[in-house]
Amino acid sequence: MRELVRANGPLMRALTVVRDSGLPDAWIGAGVLRDLVWGRRYGTGFDLRTVRDVDVAFFDPADLSRDNDDRATARLATTEPGMPWEAKNQAAVHTWYPRRFGGPPFPPFHGIAEAVATWPEYATAVAIHLDPDNHIAVCAPHGLDDLLDGVWRRNPTRVSEQTSHERLARHQPAQRWPGVRIITSPSAHGEGR
């Protein structure tokens, strides 16, 4: 994974921008990493300019406002315009997630790893950041197997089966990345793990 990231100049630039932004505990993750790995392994390649968004997860329990997300996104866009930044304060997810996506209320996350562990698929429940010594840190609470092995599987922690089916229809992984396996059966949860 680190080799794929290091080999991609635009993604390394994005990691540098995020690291230098001053956002607290900021990471890039989710779909952009899936697109990188699966584009290189199962598709026609990867171009950061074509991704829907560059998800930046940061952790700021001192300001849970939606304005904080907007300011963070604007800060990144000021430094690197043209990048489809989308910054979200993971400390605030509990304030809006149930209202937007359904499900019961839940307590605030205590850190980035706890938040990443709830992201929609195991293959997207991964985040990376660049430390001051240019080392790439990886946060993968469920491991990297599904991401590296091309497996689309719902993470049931917070994502309903209905939402998972909607995401599957929207992202069409089998068409975008031939060779990716799609596992929709709840009984297959432990397969390949």
Side-chain angles (χ1 to χ4, degrees), residues 48-125:
L48 188 60
R49 295 170 300 184
T50 64
V51 299
R52 192 176 122 243
D53 52 36
V54 176
D55 290 305
V56 176
F58 67 101
F59 200 80
D60 182 5
D63 184 350
L64 303 182
S65 71
R66 171 63 193 200
D67 288 343
N68 196 14
D69 291 348
D70 295 340
R71 285 189 305 271
T73 300
R75 182 185 307 177
L76 296 166
T78 297
T79 304
E80 190 69 27
M83 188 77 66
W85 300 108
E86 186 171 334
K88 293 280 187 226
N89 182 5
Q90 300 302 292
V93 171
H94 69 286
T95 67
W96 56 263
Y97 189 95
R99 187 173 54 252
R100 182 167 175 204
F101 295 107
F106 57 90
F109 297 131
H110 294 100
I112 287 290
E114 189 177 3
V116 171
T118 69
W119 291 358
E121 294 85 33
Y122 290 122
T124 60

Side-chain angles (χ1 to χ4, degrees), residues 162-184:
Q162 178 183 337
T163 299
S164 180
H165 288 296
E166 291 166 1
R167 286 181 55 78
L168 187 59
R170 185 172 65 247
H171 290 285
Q172 300 185 354
Q175 289 76 28
R176 290 176 67 189
W177 305 288
V180 165
R181 289 183 304 135
I182 298 167
I183 298 174
T184 57

